[in-house]
Amino acid sequence: MDRTRLNLLDEPLIRVRDLGGQPQRLTLPQLLVALGRDAVRDSPALRPHQRHPWHALLVQLAALALHAADEDRPWDEANDWRAALLALTPDHPDGCAFCLVAPHDRPAFLQPPVPSGKLDGWKYIATPDALDMLVTSKNHDLKSERMRHAEADDWLFALASLQTQEGFLGKGNYGISRMNGGFSSRPALGIEPAGGIGARWRRDVGALLTERDEITETMGFQREGGTALLWIPPWDGTKSLAFTALDPFYIEICRRIRFVLDSDSRLQARGIGTSAARVDAAARKGVTGDAWTPVEEDKALTLGSDGFNYGLAAELAWGSKYRKTLAQALRAEDGIAGISLLAQGVVRGQGKTEGYHERRIPLTKKAIGYLRGGQTDLPAAIAAARVKAVATMRGSVLRTALFYLLEAGTEKIDFDRRTAKQQIEAFIRTFERTEDARFFEDLNREIEAEDRNAERLAWMLGLAERAEVLLRSAFAIGPQSGERRYRARSRALSYFHGALRSGKHPELVALAQHLRSHQAAEEAAS
């Protein structure tokens, strides 16, 4: 039986780089001190899709320790953090609950005790990426079992990702409670203040402590004495913990996993399926009081295959469809400049994932003022109007013009012709990506502008110009011979300009009026 090894409280197992880029190895208490001082640039072993689970875990762990000690500010000494973390597991004063390897009938970090103390029949897991694998349709998307020379924190980050953001992966592999169903995900949205990752960690810890009572009352958690570290109680895989028996800051696990050391003292893992989820919370549809999860009515956001596209991102930032997350609310210490909204999430499907998505939405001075004052109607209206304008330009104007081009300028267009649709989609996706990339920069200019109508018109003119450039670039795939070539290009451009001037699209009325008046002025001058 493996003895207690790799103690996060005492051994410098976590690799980071300081603000100057110099590598360091820290214990967990030392890491919390460094974060409190905002002295960490990054963790080189942390993979992109693991960033939010690791951030959330460190925030929740710190908030639990501070609350239990009746403190409201992070400690600045590692010994204080060590004592506070150890106090969270009074039945295990030797720190086994913060070790990566411990006797199997006792808790290890994010690993519940095995009642029998034996791993007979447990599956062998050789590498961290096999433990925490972004399952894709093709192995070349992200090669599996590549991390043959992994260090302790590679395993640590993989375990944290698996246990706190994994979904359903077939019989016996249940997902976490903090998502809307097994094929959903755990998306995150919160403020990223000026500074480094420590500044964000510190402000999110403060947000959790401030809102603890509200979360408890709203969700029905235990005010005191609830289960907080879900890897502490033994688990045989047949029973679930009641949701209302938990602490509001609970850190969950979803799988039975145990780390072991091989004959060369290298970490490996073992896992086995369960017949029940760790938490009985399916009926909550991911509404668990999580500080970062956007909620629509009675269910958590499920991220789609296009991730945080500009439409969803604008709605999350300014709209009313989703309740603002706790981490999204501006705090006094956030300041008035250098602030962004950070959206993160893994898109999941049935038996696979469709990629990791991350988006930063910069907030301007006026935008920050609107958010602080709770006056989001104006920016929400501006954003919604722009989303509709892009959709109209893309779908009703550009797409139809492209059909005229590929149909050789005929009067009657076959919008169902499969070959044409496939060719057109490539150009539509290019247009969408271009507008997505610049959406918030353009939006912020209108929010900040003294003359918003003029700024909106300038943006619409640019939108039309970019669409026409894309249309003309498609001439290369249209008819190339004689009269058909001329007719196709002429009809496509004629439709495009006519649609812009028609005034039939409410989202583009200001553009149509400007183009018609400009045309009338040119005709009068000629």
Side-chain angles (χ1 to χ4, degrees):
M1 181 179 294
D2 292 300
R3 57 192 177 88
T4 300
R5 294 282 297 275
L6 302 176
N7 191 331
L8 295 170
L9 298 180
D10 299 319
E11 298 182 51
L13 303 174
I14 305 170
R15 289 171 288 171
V16 303
R17 286 183 287 215
D18 65 19
L19 299 183
Q22 293 301 307
Q24 297 181 356
R25 291 177 177 267
L26 305 177
T27 67
L28 180 56
Q30 288 170 342
L31 174 61
L32 297 179
V33 170
L35 289 172
R37 296 171 180 171
D38 198 15
V40 177
R41 189 179 80 180
D42 60 15
S43 298
L46 193 65
R47 303 167 84 187
H49 72 282
Q50 298 169 345
R51 290 171 186 158
H52 176 66
W54 183 240
H55 169 78
L57 187 152
L58 292 177
V59 169
Q60 291 166 279
L61 194 57
L64 283 165
L66 288 164
H67 173 73
D70 198 23
E71 295 284 347
D72 59 5
R73 296 174 63 83
W75 292 284
D76 199 38
E77 296 293 336
N79 286 339
D80 292 329
W81 276 114
R82 186 188 187 284
L85 293 173
L86 200 55
L88 295 177
T89 60
D91 293 335
H92 306 281
D94 63 346
C96 67
F98 292 94
C99 293
L100 296 185
V101 176
H104 301 316
D105 59 353
R106 302 186 65 201
F109 193 69
L110 296 176
Q111 305 161 61
V114 181
S116 68
K118 299 179 180 180
L119 303 185
D120 297 341
W122 288 49
K123 179 183 177 182
Y124 169 72
I125 304 170
T127 62
D129 54 330
L131 177 68
D132 169 36
M133 181 60 195
L134 288 177
V135 183
T136 51
S137 58
K138 299 176 182 179
N139 193 42
H140 65 251
D141 290 335
L142 185 61
K143 294 290 187 183
S144 61
E145 299 192 33
R146 293 283 301 273
M147 302 176 69
R148 294 290 177 179
H149 302 287
E151 296 200 31
D153 57 351
D154 292 311
W155 284 101
L156 170 63
F157 296 147
L159 182 63
S161 176
L162 172 78
Q163 295 288 41
T164 66
Q165 75 167 350
E166 185 59 280
F168 179 76
L169 278 179
K171 184 178 180 181
N173 296 304
Y174 291 89
I176 64 169
S177 63
R178 296 188 186 274
M179 64 170 58
N180 179 22
F183 300 122
S184 185
S185 58
R186 186 189 180 185
L189 181 68
I191 289 292
E192 185 177 57
I197 59 175
R200 179 171 172 241
W201 171 83
R202 190 180 184 106
R203 60 97 52 201
D204 282 1
V205 170
L208 256 66
L209 292 172
T210 300
E211 300 299 325
R212 180 182 172 89
D213 289 344
E214 178 66 22
I215 298 172
T216 301
E217 184 175 347
T218 303
M219 295 291 116
F221 289 120
Q222 296 295 306
R223 189 167 297 276
E224 300 294 341
T227 303
L229 308 179
L230 271 56
W231 65 90
I232 303 302
W235 188 26
D236 64 3
T238 65
K239 299 181 180 63
S240 301
L241 296 171
F243 181 78
T244 53
L246 306 181
D247 185 277
F249 299 159
Y250 74 95
I251 303 173
E252 66 181 316
I253 57 169
C254 62
R255 303 287 172 83
R256 296 181 76 196
I257 298 291
R258 296 295 301 195
F259 284 166
V260 298
L261 295 173
D262 67 11
S263 58
D264 295 321
S265 296
R266 292 177 300 194
L267 270 173
Q268 296 176 344
R270 302 288 188 273
I272 195 169
T274 66
S275 60
R278 184 54 163 155
V279 179
D280 182 9
R284 303 199 66 86
K285 299 180 181 179
V287 183
T288 63
D290 185 56
W292 300 273
T293 302
V295 171
E296 177 190 5
E297 295 181 353
D298 64 343
K299 60 184 179 181
L301 167 67
T302 295
L303 200 58
S305 59
D306 49 359
F308 296 101
N309 63 69
Y310 64 91
L312 174 60
E315 179 63 41
L316 290 170
W318 297 111
S320 57
K321 182 177 180 181
Y322 297 93
R323 296 203 295 269
K324 302 305 182 216
T325 70
L326 187 158
Q328 187 179 357
L330 283 167
R331 295 175 60 80
E333 64 266 29
D334 293 332
I336 59 173
I339 303 173
S340 298
L341 277 173
L342 176 61
Q344 301 165 288
V346 174
V347 177
R348 293 181 49 78
Q350 293 195 23
K352 64 177 182 178
T353 59
E354 297 183 23
Y356 170 72
H357 297 265
E358 182 172 300
R359 182 165 200 156
R360 282 172 176 80
I361 305 169
L363 299 177
T364 62
K365 184 176 180 180
K366 284 188 178 179
I368 293 169
Y370 288 132
L371 287 171
R372 287 198 186 281
Q375 301 171 332
T376 59
D377 288 351
L378 176 62
I382 294 173
R386 283 174 172 252
V387 170
K388 291 179 181 178
V390 174
T392 299
M393 186 68 73
R394 178 191 67 236
S396 300
V397 180
L398 178 59
R399 185 187 295 273
T400 305
L402 286 166
F403 267 107
Y404 271 111
L405 174 69
L406 294 185
E407 293 286 282
T410 57
E411 292 293 333
K412 187 174 182 180
I413 302 298
D414 181 6
F415 289 102
D416 294 322
R417 189 163 70 89
R418 183 176 179 182
T419 303
K421 288 171 67 176
Q422 289 175 338
Q423 289 177 298
I424 284 169
E425 276 309 305
F427 290 90
I428 294 300
R429 286 196 298 270
T430 297
F431 177 75
E432 187 81 349
R433 285 195 298 267
T434 298
E435 297 310 312
D436 185 276
R438 62 181 298 149
F439 184 86
F440 285 98
E441 182 180 348
D442 291 343
L443 172 65
N444 283 338
R445 277 200 291 268
E446 183 173 345
I447 291 175
E448 291 292 310
E450 294 298 325
D451 187 343
R452 293 195 179 95
N453 291 331
E455 182 61 39
R456 172 74 63 84
L457 177 59
W459 172 73
M460 284 187 174
L461 288 167
L463 183 68
E465 180 181 348
R466 294 188 293 276
E468 182 173 348
V469 168
L470 192 63
L471 174 60
R472 290 180 179 274
S473 74
F475 286 176
I477 66 168
Q480 299 297 310
S481 61
E483 183 181 346
R484 292 182 72 245
R485 172 187 177 186
Y486 171 78
R487 185 172 66 246
R489 295 180 181 185
S490 176
R491 286 285 286 148
L493 287 171
S494 177
Y495 173 82
F496 181 82
H497 290 295
L500 293 181
R501 290 175 168 81
S502 69
K504 293 180 180 179
H505 305 296
E507 299 83 6
L508 303 176
V509 166
L511 176 63
Q513 292 173 343
H514 172 81
L515 293 175
R516 289 200 300 264
S517 64
H518 186 68
Q519 182 181 19
E522 287 183 338
E523 291 173 351
S526 61

